[in-house]
Amino acid sequence: MASDGLYLWNVKMNDTTGGYDQHVANWSVIVDTASPALSSPTPSNISYIQGTSAQTFSIVVSDANVKNGTVGYKRSQDVDYTYPVLSNCVGLNPTCTVNIDLSNTGTYPDGTVIQYYFKVYDKADNSGNNGTSSSPLNTTIDRGAPTYSSEATSPTSPATYVSGASYQFNVTWTDSGGVHTGNLAAFYA
């Protein structure tokens, strides 16, 4: 087997008397045994998205002869994947994309985990994956802002400042996507 690359060939015919003729044009053959390399998925694995009507899923592909690709996606509780075709997924080193509508709050409520993976083929039908159906990437829909509860202060508000006294402020924050950061601001009158 020849190694990967471009090969040119032409035809030359001989007869029994030593005469020959050669076809002037060269034909080309590309030997390609390498799978496309996939990187930089969007959304990234273990991330949070808002779940809009045009959520972009994309993947960067490294390959000289990309033919096509799909993204498989489903809710984590579902069995079957849906496979929309990726756009712009052809040629040399493309970024393949598709917009998926995740706006239906009945189907995709706050906190829904979306499992997904990418599969891309080159013109030699070699395939490359980022994630698989049995080991997918994950993103969680986060539709709302964090909410607070269980606000408690000690001493109770309004309090008069006493030098050297201990003051405590406790608030519980919740969010389906987890609370990323919190800030406490103190204002003095």
Side-chain angles (χ1 to χ4, degrees), residues 158-172:
T160 302
Y161 174 74
V162 176
S163 180
S166 175
Y167 296 87
Q168 294 181 0
F169 305 92
N170 295 302
V171 178
T172 300

Side-chain angles (χ1 to χ4, degrees), residues 25-129:
N26 286 322
W27 289 276
S28 62
V29 173
I30 297 173
V31 175
D32 180 1
T33 60
S35 296
L38 282 62
S39 64
S40 304
T42 300
S44 58
N45 191 25
I46 315 298
S47 62
Y48 296 91
I49 57 175
Q50 291 181 341
T52 64
S53 60
Q55 180 64 51
T56 300
F57 285 71
S58 66
I59 193 76
V60 175
V61 182
S62 296
D63 194 278
N65 299 296
V66 175
K67 179 173 67 173
N68 60 39
T70 61
V71 60
Y73 78 97
K74 68 180 185 84
R75 298 177 305 171
S76 61
Q77 69 266 32
D78 294 339
V79 174
D80 296 323
Y81 282 88
T82 300
Y83 297 95
V85 174
L86 295 165
S87 299
N88 307 314
C89 203
V90 66
L92 174 65
N93 301 331
T95 297
C96 306
T97 63
V98 67
N99 289 326
I100 298 174
D101 184 354
L102 301 175
S103 64
N104 184 324
T105 57
T107 304
Y108 303 105
D110 193 36
T112 299
V113 175
I114 302 296
Q115 296 179 322
Y116 60 102
Y117 69 97
F118 297 91
K119 188 163 193 164
V120 174
Y121 293 89
D122 65 15
K123 290 180 182 176
D125 283 331
N126 301 309
S127 65
N129 290 42

